[in-house]
Amino acid sequence: MGNIRITKQFNFETGHALYGYDGKCRNVHGHSYKLSVTVIGTPITDTSHVKLGMVIDFGDLKKIVKEEIVDVFDHATVFNKNTPHVELAKELEDRGHKVILADYQPTSECMVIDFAAKIKARLPENIQLHSLKLQETETSFAEWFAADN
């Protein structure tokens, strides 16, 4: 049996601000993100295996992405920890808000790289991360492909 790609989609709401940016996105704002996670592998052929015919159980993939990405980023505000936004982040945290201080500028491009590393670290040995697509608006998205990296 050959390799098969399967994809699971996720949605989450996240705020961010791009420090030093020359446009509107320097202001704190949010997006309704859509994340598509595609993995590749060979379907299980062992007829005694409970997951016969699956590359990976969609529920198992969901658990990984939910724990690593969705539960962490949903309804959080992300700031680059190396900017003066840390003062705003501290103020928000003191008021009970969910804040993430990232090691990067929280663009879709940098977020998708971060997400790829987190998901790859949790996948079973026989499953490879093929690609991610992080859509921040209906017409704007960033993609990560294993083949490019």
Side-chain angles (χ1 to χ4, degrees), residues 35-83:
L35 176 65
S36 298
V37 178
T38 302
V39 297
I40 188 167
T42 305
I44 295 166
T45 56
D46 177 356
T47 56
S48 65
H49 198 290
V50 69
K51 298 190 182 187
L52 174 65
M54 295 181 182
V55 170
I56 185 174
D57 187 321
F58 281 115
D60 294 340
L61 183 56
K62 178 182 178 179
K63 182 179 187 318
I64 292 167
V65 177
K66 194 167 173 333
E67 289 175 359
E68 294 295 327
I69 312 302
V70 177
D71 289 349
V72 176
F73 283 81
D74 190 39
H75 285 83
T77 304
V78 185
F79 298 109
N80 181 331
K81 75 174 188 180
N82 300 311
T83 71

Side-chain angles (χ1 to χ4, degrees), residues 14-140:
T14 302
H16 69 158
L18 304 179
Y19 180 75
Y21 181 65
D22 62 354
K24 291 180 186 179
C25 292
R26 70 179 173 266
N27 299 306
V28 178
H29 65 287
H31 297 286
S32 295
Y33 286 98
K34 295 177 184 175
L35 176 65
S36 298
V37 178
T38 302
V39 297
I40 188 167
T42 305
I44 295 166
T45 56
D46 177 356
T47 56
S48 65
H49 198 290
V50 69
K51 298 190 182 187
L52 174 65
M54 295 181 182
V55 170
I56 185 174
D57 187 321
F58 281 115
D60 294 340
L61 183 56
K62 178 182 178 179
K63 182 179 187 318
I64 292 167
V65 177
K66 194 167 173 333
E67 289 175 359
E68 294 295 327
I69 312 302
V70 177
D71 289 349
V72 176
F73 283 81
D74 190 39
H75 285 83
T77 304
V78 185
F79 298 109
N80 181 331
K81 75 174 188 180
N82 300 311
T83 71
H85 279 139
V86 294
E87 295 169 20
L88 176 56
K90 173 85 170 96
E91 173 74 19
L92 288 170
E93 283 181 324
D94 289 347
R95 293 175 181 255
H97 291 266
K98 186 175 171 183
V99 174
I100 297 170
L101 292 175
D103 292 331
Y104 52 81
Q105 181 81 311
T107 61
S108 290
E109 295 89 336
C110 293
M111 289 170 69
V112 81
I113 291 168
D114 178 35
F115 295 176
K118 289 175 176 169
I119 294 167
K120 281 171 47 177
R122 292 275 309 271
L123 289 173
E125 214 173 87
N126 60 325
I127 307 298
Q128 302 302 313
L129 182 60
H130 176 271
S131 61
L132 297 177
K133 178 179 178 179
L134 182 62
Q135 196 164 348
E136 73 173 33
T137 69
E138 279 302 310
T139 60
S140 303

